[in-house]
């Protein structure tokens, strides 16, 4: 029973990523003029966006599942892995706790009058950045110290580096109003989602010796 519960909780990360992907695909399909290459993902749940409340349901479920995975990962792996993995897990939890506040601060659509919620959306984004970078890097460095987990550790580090690169590019594209911001942002966020899915899969399917 304990083993089954552990597996279910650690599999929440994979389910969270699927829900997040569905929110993007369904949102883009329902909003006929939405441009995935040009517009940020946050536009789908922005103030005044069509189908906002439906898509908020997806993002709230995603946030809950992602937080469950982050907490479960940190709890179950705290004694079995290197200390850096634990601190990476703490960063992972903070990342998703902060990201849940997006529900209260929707983005302003392009051309709309700036609002308090819209400005806070940008503040939340700035707060999330360091934890988004630290999480895969700390976990990666920690896993690299254990031979069976070295490959996953290297994968985590690569993802962390990609997040730094494309996160920086996203900020630059947004500030300059450059085209294809949506594409650059999706590569950045997509890297985090792929990392989360792989980590969830690997951790949830590992052999468990507990009783």
């Amino acid at each position: 029973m304990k083993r089954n519960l552990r597996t279910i909780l650690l599999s929440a990360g994979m389910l969270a990523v699927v829900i997040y992907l569905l929110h993007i695909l369904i949102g883009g399909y329902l909003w006929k003029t939405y441009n995935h290459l040009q517009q940020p993902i946050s536009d789908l749940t922005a103030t005044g966006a069509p189908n906002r409340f439906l898509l908020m349901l997806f993002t709230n479920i995603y946030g809950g599942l992602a937080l469950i995975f982050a907490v479960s990962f940190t709890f179950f792996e705290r004694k079995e892995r290197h200390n850096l993995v634990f601190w990476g897990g703490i960063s992972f939890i903070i990342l998703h706790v902060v990201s849940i506040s997006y529900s209260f601060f929707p983005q302003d659509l392009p051309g709309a009058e700036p609002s308090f919620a819209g400005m806070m959306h940008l503040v939340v984004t700035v707060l999330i950045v360091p934890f988004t970078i630290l999480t895969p890097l700390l976990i990666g460095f920690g896993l690299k110290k254990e031979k069976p987990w070295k490959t996953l550790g290297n994968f985590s580090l690569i993802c962390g580096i990609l997040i730094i690169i494309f996160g920086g590019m996203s900020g630059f594209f947004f500030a300059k109003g450059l085209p294809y911001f949506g594409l650059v942002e999706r590569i950045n966020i997509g890297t985090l989602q792929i990392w989360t899915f792989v980590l969830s899969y690997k951790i949830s399917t590992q052999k468990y010796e507990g009783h």
Side-chain angles (χ1 to χ4, degrees):
M1 182 65 181
K2 185 177 180 181
R3 180 174 183 175
N4 289 338
L5 178 60
R6 177 190 177 106
T7 301
I8 291 171
L9 292 174
L10 291 174
S11 298
M14 290 186 284
L15 184 56
V17 173
V18 172
I19 295 296
Y20 190 81
L21 181 60
L22 285 175
H23 131 258
I24 296 174
L25 295 177
I26 293 173
Y29 175 78
L30 293 176
W31 187 351
K32 300 302 181 183
T33 58
Y34 181 82
N35 190 324
H36 286 283
L37 297 179
Q38 307 291 348
Q39 292 180 254
I41 296 172
S42 294
D43 274 6
L44 293 171
T45 51
T47 302
N51 309 297
R52 176 177 183 267
F53 293 104
L54 170 63
L55 298 177
M56 282 295 296
L57 177 62
F58 280 89
T59 56
N60 286 335
I61 293 173
Y62 159 75
L65 288 170
L67 183 57
I68 288 172
F69 171 58
V71 171
S72 300
F73 169 79
T74 306
F75 176 78
F76 289 125
E77 301 297 310
R78 71 190 188 285
K79 294 180 180 178
E80 300 178 27
R81 307 275 83 85
H82 190 275
N83 281 342
L84 286 175
V85 175
F86 170 75
W87 289 111
I90 295 297
S91 176
F92 202 13
I93 293 172
I94 295 172
L95 161 63
H96 286 297
V97 168
V98 175
S99 69
I100 287 175
S101 63
Y102 274 133
S103 299
F104 305 102
F105 305 118
Q107 180 168 297
D108 295 320
L109 285 174
E113 190 72 22
S115 67
F116 172 75
M119 289 186 288
M120 286 303 299
H121 182 93
L122 296 177
V123 171
V124 172
T125 300
V126 171
L127 290 174
I128 281 177
V129 168
F131 299 108
T132 305
I133 294 171
L134 279 174
T135 298
L137 290 181
L138 287 174
I139 292 175
F141 279 119
L143 292 177
K144 264 179 66 69
K145 295 181 180 297
E146 302 177 45
K147 190 174 182 180
W149 296 96
K150 188 173 182 180
T151 299
L152 182 59
N154 287 330
F155 173 76
S156 296
L157 292 177
I158 291 171
C159 287
I161 293 170
L162 290 175
I163 288 172
I164 292 173
I165 294 172
F166 286 100
M169 287 179 62
S170 295
F172 180 77
F173 272 56
F174 178 80
K176 298 294 184 181
L178 298 176
Y180 298 106
F181 166 70
L183 175 60
V184 176
E185 183 200 47
R186 278 161 176 75
I187 295 174
N188 181 43
I189 296 177
T191 300
L192 177 65
Q193 298 303 325
I194 290 171
W195 174 79
T196 300
F197 189 95
V198 171
L199 181 67
S200 178
Y201 172 76
K202 291 292 188 180
I203 295 296
S204 65
T205 56
Q206 69 175 312
K207 291 183 178 179
Y208 174 50
E209 305 299 336
H211 300 285

